[in-house]
Amino acid sequence: MIEQTVETQFGTLFVREEAGEITAVGWGRARNDGRSDLLDRAVAQLAEYDAGSREQFDLPLRLTGSDLTRAVGAQMQEIPFGETVTYGDIAKRLGVPAQAVGQACGANPIPIIIPCHRVMGAKGLTGFSGAGGVETKVALLRHEKAGGFLI
């Protein structure tokens, strides 16, 4: 396991690679600093996203957890840049309760790359598990010029 740090307008982030796959993005500095071609690509893609020149990530990801967690992660990856869906939308597609979708979103270990910030509650904004909470979620949505939410 190795990590790299990237500075963004959304805060200092670390990106973690394990066995050739990205397994985590989080707020803070890398604790197990290292270099690899994959981490260099991930940091570059996050910097491009931050600069507004990248809308999709092209990285091998490993999302661990239950089948539901992985299914919700796959659904989140399908949400286009600048758009939002509700927990209920994903719940209907998967045939599970919206609360279970919310829990899976909150447990997402690869935020931004797996865009849990694009998932909203039925009545609008909800929490965000990243540093800064809902303010960070709003900043990410504003960055993407997402029009599907009210503040």
Side-chain angles (χ1 to χ4, degrees):
M1 172 189 71
I2 54 175
E3 298 174 344
Q4 277 189 36
T5 301
V6 57
E7 298 291 338
T8 74
Q9 64 183 302
F10 314 108
T12 301
L13 303 174
F14 71 86
V15 184
R16 180 178 301 140
E17 174 192 344
E18 296 179 52
E21 297 171 302
I22 300 302
T23 60
V25 170
W27 276 260
R29 302 199 69 76
R31 292 177 295 203
N32 191 10
D33 217 7
R35 297 289 303 262
S36 74
D37 289 342
L38 177 56
L39 278 177
D40 288 347
R41 278 182 37 222
V43 165
Q45 288 187 23
L46 282 164
E48 291 165 359
Y49 172 84
D50 183 49
S53 61
R54 175 172 290 277
E55 295 184 358
Q56 290 184 297
F57 293 92
D58 179 24
L59 300 164
L61 307 176
R62 181 172 8 122
L63 185 58
T64 57
S66 69
D67 289 345
L68 177 62
T69 298
R70 290 191 303 278
V72 170
Q75 289 290 312
M76 288 188 289
Q77 288 180 62
E78 297 297 319
I79 306 167
F81 180 93
E83 294 185 22
T84 60
V85 301
T86 66
Y87 298 110
D89 293 333
I90 294 174
K92 285 177 193 163
R93 285 185 215 130
L94 297 178
V96 299
Q99 184 179 15
V101 171
Q103 290 170 344
C105 288
N108 175 18
I110 314 174
I112 301 175
I113 294 174
I114 297 178
C116 51
H117 60 278
R118 296 178 189 155
V119 185
M120 313 295 283
K123 296 181 181 177
L125 282 172
T126 54
F128 184 68
S129 60
V134 75
E135 284 101 19
T136 301
K137 183 173 189 163
V138 169
L140 288 162
L141 291 169
R142 280 190 175 142
H143 174 69
E144 295 184 9
K145 297 174 180 52
F149 72 99
L150 300 173
I151 299 176

